[in-house]
mmCIF file of all heavy atoms in Angstrom:
data_model
loop_
_atom_site.group_PDB
_atom_site.id
_atom_site.type_symbol
_atom_site.label_atom_id
_atom_site.label_comp_id
_atom_site.label_asym_id
_atom_site.label_seq_id
_atom_site.Cartn_x
_atom_site.Cartn_y
_atom_site.Cartn_z
ATOM 1 N N GLY A 136 75.458 170.268 50.624
ATOM 2 C CA GLY A 136 74.331 171.210 50.641
ATOM 3 C C GLY A 136 74.579 172.567 50.207
ATOM 4 O O GLY A 136 74.050 173.591 50.756
ATOM 5 N N LEU A 137 75.312 172.773 49.179
ATOM 6 C CA LEU A 137 75.752 173.988 48.718
ATOM 7 C C LEU A 137 74.600 174.809 48.038
ATOM 8 O O LEU A 137 73.918 174.280 47.129
ATOM 9 C CB LEU A 137 76.919 173.984 47.708
ATOM 10 C CG LEU A 137 77.628 175.271 47.456
ATOM 11 C CD1 LEU A 137 78.331 175.840 48.687
ATOM 12 C CD2 LEU A 137 78.501 175.222 46.224
ATOM 13 N N GLY A 138 74.409 176.065 48.424
ATOM 14 C CA GLY A 138 73.344 176.857 47.806
ATOM 15 C C GLY A 138 73.750 178.297 47.704
ATOM 16 O O GLY A 138 74.844 178.710 48.085
ATOM 17 N N ARG A 139 72.796 179.050 47.196
ATOM 18 C CA ARG A 139 73.007 180.528 47.087
ATOM 19 C C ARG A 139 73.391 181.158 48.324
ATOM 20 O O ARG A 139 72.695 180.913 49.382
ATOM 21 C CB ARG A 139 71.718 181.197 46.399
ATOM 22 C CG ARG A 139 71.903 182.692 46.141
ATOM 23 C CD ARG A 139 70.734 183.163 45.350
ATOM 24 N NE ARG A 139 70.629 182.506 43.987
ATOM 25 C CZ ARG A 139 71.373 182.793 42.949
ATOM 26 N NH1 ARG A 139 72.187 183.815 43.086
ATOM 27 N NH2 ARG A 139 71.299 182.178 41.839
ATOM 28 N N GLY A 140 74.374 181.992 48.251
ATOM 29 C CA GLY A 140 74.809 182.810 49.488
ATOM 30 C C GLY A 140 75.850 182.167 50.325
ATOM 31 O O GLY A 140 76.494 182.649 51.212
ATOM 32 N N ASP A 141 76.136 180.801 50.027
ATOM 33 C CA ASP A 141 77.210 180.025 50.727
ATOM 34 C C ASP A 141 78.534 180.457 50.217
ATOM 35 O O ASP A 141 78.709 180.809 49.095
ATOM 36 C CB ASP A 141 77.030 178.536 50.554
ATOM 37 C CG ASP A 141 75.878 177.980 51.372
ATOM 38 O OD1 ASP A 141 75.613 178.552 52.520
ATOM 39 O OD2 ASP A 141 75.418 176.911 51.046
ATOM 40 N N THR A 142 79.599 180.317 51.048
ATOM 41 C CA THR A 142 80.961 180.405 50.696
ATOM 42 C C THR A 142 81.552 179.015 50.785
ATOM 43 O O THR A 142 81.571 178.472 51.965
ATOM 44 C CB THR A 142 81.696 181.400 51.454
ATOM 45 O OG1 THR A 142 81.111 182.768 51.258
ATOM 46 C CG2 THR A 142 83.120 181.500 50.985
ATOM 47 N N VAL A 143 82.145 178.526 49.761
ATOM 48 C CA VAL A 143 82.614 177.202 49.787
ATOM 49 C C VAL A 143 84.136 177.151 49.430
ATOM 50 O O VAL A 143 84.609 177.939 48.581
ATOM 51 C CB VAL A 143 81.912 176.268 48.705
ATOM 52 C CG1 VAL A 143 82.085 176.729 47.278
ATOM 53 C CG2 VAL A 143 82.432 174.850 48.815
ATOM 54 N N ALA A 160 79.358 175.469 41.259
ATOM 55 C CA ALA A 160 79.127 176.184 42.495
ATOM 56 C C ALA A 160 78.886 177.641 42.256
ATOM 57 O O ALA A 160 77.951 178.222 42.872
ATOM 58 C CB ALA A 160 80.350 176.018 43.382
ATOM 59 N N VAL A 161 79.602 178.276 41.340
ATOM 60 C CA VAL A 161 79.297 179.694 40.993
ATOM 61 C C VAL A 161 77.906 179.786 40.365
ATOM 62 O O VAL A 161 77.179 180.758 40.670
ATOM 63 C CB VAL A 161 80.399 180.222 39.988
ATOM 64 C CG1 VAL A 161 79.950 181.481 39.369
ATOM 65 C CG2 VAL A 161 81.749 180.235 40.557
ATOM 66 N N ALA A 162 77.484 178.784 39.526
ATOM 67 C CA ALA A 162 76.144 178.821 38.934
ATOM 68 C C ALA A 162 75.031 178.703 40.028
ATOM 69 O O ALA A 162 73.930 179.211 39.829
ATOM 70 C CB ALA A 162 76.010 177.654 37.895
ATOM 71 N N ARG A 163 75.425 178.066 41.128
ATOM 72 C CA ARG A 163 74.422 177.992 42.209
ATOM 73 C C ARG A 163 74.324 179.240 43.081
ATOM 74 O O ARG A 163 73.520 179.310 44.018
ATOM 75 C CB ARG A 163 74.796 176.833 43.184
ATOM 76 C CG ARG A 163 74.597 175.442 42.516
ATOM 77 C CD ARG A 163 74.908 174.349 43.579
ATOM 78 N NE ARG A 163 74.651 172.997 43.003
ATOM 79 C CZ ARG A 163 74.318 171.943 43.669
ATOM 80 N NH1 ARG A 163 73.974 172.078 44.949
ATOM 81 N NH2 ARG A 163 74.111 170.795 43.075
ATOM 82 N N GLY A 164 75.177 180.170 42.813
ATOM 83 C CA GLY A 164 75.151 181.443 43.486
ATOM 84 C C GLY A 164 76.003 181.458 44.674
ATOM 85 O O GLY A 164 75.862 182.411 45.601
ATOM 86 N N ALA A 165 76.993 180.552 44.765
ATOM 87 C CA ALA A 165 77.949 180.470 45.886
ATOM 88 C C ALA A 165 79.222 181.249 45.618
ATOM 89 O O ALA A 165 79.510 181.452 44.415
ATOM 90 C CB ALA A 165 78.330 179.004 46.189
ATOM 91 N N THR A 166 79.838 181.677 46.617
ATOM 92 C CA THR A 166 81.179 182.292 46.537
ATOM 93 C C THR A 166 82.163 181.184 46.669
ATOM 94 O O THR A 166 82.099 180.381 47.592
ATOM 95 C CB THR A 166 81.434 183.353 47.652
ATOM 96 O OG1 THR A 166 80.468 184.370 47.424
ATOM 97 C CG2 THR A 166 82.881 183.905 47.578
ATOM 98 N N VAL A 167 83.133 181.108 45.788
ATOM 99 C CA VAL A 167 84.045 179.931 45.677
ATOM 100 C C VAL A 167 85.489 180.393 46.058
ATOM 101 O O VAL A 167 86.006 181.297 45.326
ATOM 102 C CB VAL A 167 84.036 179.234 44.377
ATOM 103 C CG1 VAL A 167 85.001 178.106 44.383
ATOM 104 C CG2 VAL A 167 82.674 178.778 44.054
ATOM 105 N N GLU A 203 84.197 186.726 55.971
ATOM 106 C CA GLU A 203 82.954 186.351 56.637
ATOM 107 C C GLU A 203 82.738 184.870 56.860
ATOM 108 O O GLU A 203 81.738 184.521 57.427
ATOM 109 C CB GLU A 203 81.723 186.885 55.768
ATOM 110 C CG GLU A 203 81.730 188.438 55.589
ATOM 111 C CD GLU A 203 80.508 189.010 54.871
ATOM 112 O OE1 GLU A 203 79.656 188.138 54.528
ATOM 113 O OE2 GLU A 203 80.473 190.128 54.613
ATOM 114 N N GLY A 204 83.787 184.112 56.541
ATOM 115 C CA GLY A 204 83.814 182.747 56.897
ATOM 116 C C GLY A 204 83.524 181.764 55.783
ATOM 117 O O GLY A 204 83.006 182.173 54.718
ATOM 118 N N ILE A 205 83.744 180.475 55.979
ATOM 119 C CA ILE A 205 83.539 179.381 55.057
ATOM 120 C C ILE A 205 82.397 178.525 55.599
ATOM 121 O O ILE A 205 82.413 178.034 56.711
ATOM 122 C CB ILE A 205 84.836 178.509 54.858
ATOM 123 C CG1 ILE A 205 85.987 179.382 54.382
ATOM 124 C CG2 ILE A 205 84.519 177.344 53.961
ATOM 125 C CD1 ILE A 205 85.792 179.882 52.959
ATOM 126 N N HIS A 206 81.324 178.319 54.758
ATOM 127 C CA HIS A 206 80.261 177.522 55.189
ATOM 128 C C HIS A 206 80.436 175.998 54.841
ATOM 129 O O HIS A 206 79.791 175.215 55.480
ATOM 130 C CB HIS A 206 79.014 178.007 54.451
ATOM 131 C CG HIS A 206 78.658 179.466 54.683
ATOM 132 N ND1 HIS A 206 78.880 180.453 53.796
ATOM 133 C CD2 HIS A 206 78.086 180.000 55.811
ATOM 134 C CE1 HIS A 206 78.531 181.588 54.349
ATOM 135 N NE2 HIS A 206 78.051 181.437 55.536
ATOM 136 N N ALA A 207 81.200 175.682 53.746
ATOM 137 C CA ALA A 207 81.286 174.293 53.394
ATOM 138 C C ALA A 207 82.591 174.130 52.728
ATOM 139 O O ALA A 207 83.284 175.113 52.293
ATOM 140 C CB ALA A 207 80.213 173.949 52.443
ATOM 141 N N ARG A 230 79.108 169.367 56.429
ATOM 142 C CA ARG A 230 79.221 170.176 55.240
ATOM 143 C C ARG A 230 80.706 170.185 54.662
ATOM 144 O O ARG A 230 81.031 171.075 53.964
ATOM 145 C CB ARG A 230 78.773 171.683 55.515
ATOM 146 C CG ARG A 230 77.272 171.714 55.981
ATOM 147 C CD ARG A 230 76.750 173.047 55.754
ATOM 148 N NE ARG A 230 76.647 173.331 54.250
ATOM 149 C CZ ARG A 230 76.249 174.607 53.791
ATOM 150 N NH1 ARG A 230 76.113 175.560 54.589
ATOM 151 N NH2 ARG A 230 76.073 174.722 52.502
#
Side-chain angles (χ1 to χ4, degrees):
L137 192 70
R139 182 170 298 277
D141 283 337
T142 299
V143 61
V161 169
R163 290 185 179 213
T166 298
V167 179
E203 296 185 4
I205 300 291
H206 301 102
R230 300 200 69 189

